[in-house]
Amino acid sequence: MTVQILIAGFGGQGILFLGKLLAYKALIEGRELSWLPSYGPEMRGGTASCSVTISTEPVGSPIITNPDILIAMNLPSLDRYEGSVKPGGMIFTDSSLIERPVARTDVKAFAVPATRMAVEMGAPNLANMIILGNLMKQCPDLVPYENVGEALAKVVSAKHPEMAEVNLRAIKTGFGL
Amino acid sequence: MSEKVLMKGNEAIAEAAIRSGCRFYFGYPITPQTELAAYMARRMPKIGGVFLQAESEIAAINMVYGVAGTGKRVMTSSSSPGVSLKQEGISYLAGADLPAVIVNVQRGGPGLGGIQPSQSDYFQATKGGGHGDYHLIVLTPDSVQEMADLTGLAFDLADRYRVPAMILADGTMGQMMEPVVLPPERDAAVADKPWAVTGTENKRPHNIINSLYLAPDVLEKTNDERYARYAEIQAKEARWESWMMDDAEYGIVAFGIAARVAKNAVTHLRQNGIKAGLIRPITVWPFPTSAVTGACARVRAMVSVELSMGQMIEDVRLAAEGRCPVTLCSRSGGMIPEPQQIIACVERLAKGGK
């Protein structure tokens, strides 16, 4: 089993953070994985993307051309990558920021009003964790909910350990707990 | 000890260097290798080591020259334009027979080029780069694990042969995170370096670190002596991975990120009934010539997959010795070949095309 996940959005939306959390989850579960960020001169407000491959086999190329799962956090990302998703794949969108629905009919689309949900729970920057919670719900074999706290502890900055709790709350909200 | 941790390739090199006994790092920031310098800046002061951000790449490589003369393990790192600046110092290191490790996390060129991954410094790394007759030992990791493992090996080989060694990586290898088992902590004693300048205590003649020989016959002798060591390195230290080559009818030669993409292509080609295989050089100097020569006698064609306009292909052609056609499949400027491009190239060859 090899699953390729492409996460894309604006810089500052926590694209790389979400990817790192998926990577640590896979590490804790003893899977093979690779995490590859886009890197460029652009930062906050520019485009950011992150390619995460999770596999039971050693990972070949870490570069993802046709993802199994696309997480699009803004419209330019959906416009750019929608066509690249494998038939039968999944697309998660932040429907608070992306007004149009997913046009593809050969993929499973999950429109999550992540930014609105994040604002409502008082953590407006954690739309990424809301989407992750939803992904965990839809793909329990790929990203099981168990150990999420352990993975969060690895990714959250040592200077702000209290953020782990807030992130966990956002994941739970996205999961529907 | 066997615990897997997640790290960027750049960070894995830094931590592996420290665990291999490197306590001196000199560098200057440049994308996409800056995490390596940043890691050294954090760690070195805590373990009694030296991190120094030099005023330029040229200053950094000359600081490396200074420390290497004392026999201590020392490293510098940069990316393509910065490594060009270091070439004079690298030639001096080679001329003075000093061991050191230089990391090049390549980006697209020439000139300032771009910041996306590339392998277009192959010629510079393997054919000299600086002036004069010399070689570096050049190691090409294709995973974060190898970024760590080959760093330790680079220090060992550099010390053993008194030849500077280079880790030739690329932006993908530097930026990506993968699980890595870090090497155990080692103490790199200088006792086996009788040539080092460590103070004579009036008990022995002076050691002199120098690359200036005005008498041509003496200079020629130093070159002959060094090339005898190069011959030994070529005989003993060529490393490569042979993957699916036993029954392969079409061979791919690729290193680093290109090899990772090529593996995907080989898997796909075999599912479609085309017997493809991969030779992945782990050292590009010395180039695994015997492995490629042997394979060229068995395959119908060989494909060199590179992130350049075609540099390694010259070594593949030399190794092929005309035994089979050699084709280039590459992207440049920071672009990375997709598996589909490699698959199409091999399929074209299988149909009798070029």
Side-chain angles (χ1 to χ4, degrees):
Chain A
M1 179 218 61
T2 297
V3 179
Q4 297 184 312
I5 307 165
L6 181 64
I7 312 156
F10 291 126
Q13 278 185 308
I15 303 298
L16 302 186
F17 184 93
L18 170 47
K20 269 189 197 173
L21 196 47
L22 285 171
Y24 273 103
K25 278 285 289 163
L27 180 73
I28 289 165
E29 277 135 28
R31 306 245 174 98
E32 302 285 346
L33 71 106
S34 67
W35 175 93
L36 181 66
S38 66
Y39 63 92
E42 66 272 334
M43 291 297 284
R44 191 176 297 270
T47 55
S49 77
C50 179
S51 303
V52 178
T53 302
I54 300 173
S55 183
T56 48
E57 316 290 321
V59 176
S61 173
I63 299 155
I64 298 178
T65 317
N66 298 111
D68 299 284
I69 298 173
L70 169 66
I71 300 175
M73 302 285 289
N74 64 6
L75 182 60
S77 298
L78 182 63
D79 288 346
R80 183 168 172 193
Y81 297 115
E82 180 177 356
S84 71
V85 177
K86 278 186 199 138
M90 300 169 119
I91 299 179
F92 293 80
T93 54
D94 183 344
S95 56
S96 316
L97 303 181
I98 306 173
E99 288 179 358
R100 76 167 175 89
V102 169
R104 292 266 301 267
T105 53
D106 59 345
V107 298
K108 281 185 234 162
F110 302 92
V112 185
T115 296
R116 183 171 58 75
M117 289 166 76
V119 169
E120 280 169 4
M121 63 165 283
N125 295 328
L126 294 186
N128 59 343
M129 294 296 99
I130 302 261
I131 292 253
L132 175 64
N134 201 272
L135 173 76
M136 285 175 165
K137 189 176 168 185
Q138 307 300 340
C139 310
D141 294 332
L142 179 67
V143 195
Y145 182 78
E146 291 76 44
N147 307 322
V148 69
E150 195 185 333
L152 265 173
K154 298 268 190 193
V155 187
V156 167
S157 160
K159 286 180 195 155
H160 301 285
E162 74 281 2
M163 284 307 292
E165 181 52 38
V166 189
N167 278 276
L168 186 59
R169 249 190 330 121
I171 292 169
K172 281 182 177 169
T173 304
F175 197 89
L177 287 173
Chain B
M1 196 200 91
S2 62
E3 193 204 354
K4 277 187 182 178
V5 295
L6 260 189
M7 268 185 152
K8 279 194 167 193
N10 284 332
E11 296 167 337
I13 287 181
E15 181 60 32
I18 288 168
R19 290 176 181 226
S20 304
C22 174
R23 290 294 179 276
F24 297 87
Y25 173 90
F26 306 99
Y28 188 84
I30 182 170
T31 303
Q33 66 78 52
T34 299
E35 292 86 356
L36 204 170
Y39 193 94
M40 291 296 199
R42 274 201 309 278
R43 285 274 280 136
M44 283 298 197
K46 291 180 187 155
I47 54 172
V50 172
F51 164 85
L52 199 152
Q53 181 175 321
E55 68 269 35
S56 72
E57 288 86 348
I58 299 169
I61 192 70
N62 284 289
M63 292 172 188
V64 168
Y65 183 98
V67 170
T70 71
K72 305 281 191 194
R73 288 192 157 179
V74 55
M75 171 182 269
T76 186
S77 65
S78 191
S79 180
S80 306
V83 177
S84 287
L85 283 167
K86 292 183 194 290
Q87 290 303 320
E88 179 195 54
I90 293 172
S91 170
Y92 280 45
L93 283 164
D97 297 311
L98 291 175
V101 175
I102 301 127
V103 180
N104 183 358
V105 184
Q106 296 168 92
R107 55 188 250 183
L112 268 177
I115 59 174
Q116 298 304 319
S118 172
Q119 297 179 329
S120 56
D121 302 346
Y122 181 93
F123 283 152
Q124 184 194 60
T126 61
K127 309 292 178 190
H131 58 282
D133 284 316
Y134 78 91
H135 280 290
L136 306 176
I137 295 169
V138 185
L139 302 153
T140 52
D142 87 328
S143 64
V144 174
Q145 185 64 56
E146 275 197 356
M147 292 286 256
D149 294 346
L150 296 187
T151 296
L153 179 64
F155 277 108
D156 292 347
L157 292 177
D159 279 353
R160 188 175 312 150
Y161 294 102
R162 291 185 64 184
V163 167
M166 175 175 277
I167 304 286
L168 189 67
D170 66 77
T172 324
M173 288 297 133
Q175 294 296 322
M176 73 187 288
M177 284 202 306
E178 285 183 324
V180 53
V181 178
L182 291 163
E185 196 87 38
R186 295 193 282 159
D187 187 31
V190 296
D192 57 343
K193 293 179 179 173
W195 49 264
V197 283
T198 52
T200 65
E201 296 177 0
N202 294 321
K203 286 177 186 161
R204 61 165 171 80
H206 289 285
N207 284 338
I208 296 172
I209 304 292
N210 179 39
S211 71
L212 177 68
Y213 298 92
L214 290 174
D217 55 333
V218 179
L219 179 53
E220 185 183 49
K221 232 179 102 206
T222 68
N223 285 338
D224 288 344
E225 186 277 325
R226 193 170 305 115
Y227 269 70
R229 264 180 290 143
Y230 290 162
E232 190 186 344
I233 294 168
Q234 285 178 300
K236 289 185 185 166
E237 306 297 350
R239 285 167 167 80
W240 69 92
E241 176 192 5
S242 202
W243 195 70
M244 307 267 194
M245 280 304 293
D246 286 351
D247 63 342
E249 294 178 346
Y250 297 90
I252 294 169
V253 185
F255 67 91
I257 184 62
R260 296 281 292 259
V261 180
K263 277 190 178 175
N264 284 22
V266 166
T267 303
H268 194 279
L269 282 161
R270 284 194 171 254
Q271 282 163 3
N272 289 359
I274 296 177
K275 287 179 182 167
L278 171 72
I279 295 176
R280 176 174 74 87
I282 298 170
T283 56
V284 286
W285 201 93
F287 190 74
T289 306
S290 62
V292 175
T293 304
C296 286
R298 298 190 300 272
V299 299
R300 291 187 186 166
M302 203 61 110
V303 181
S304 185
V305 178
E306 310 176 39
L307 275 64
S308 75
M309 293 302 288
Q311 300 193 12
M312 181 180 67
I313 190 171
E314 295 195 0
D315 285 332
V316 178
R317 284 212 173 102
L318 283 172
E321 293 174 344
R323 286 177 169 89
C324 74
V326 180
T327 303
L328 178 67
C329 175
S330 80
R331 297 293 298 272
S332 78
M335 300 300 290
I336 300 175
E338 288 180 5
Q340 206 50 50
Q341 184 188 348
I342 304 170
I343 291 162
C345 175
V346 174
E347 284 176 345
R348 200 163 55 242
L349 291 168
K351 284 177 191 150
K354 285 191 175 175

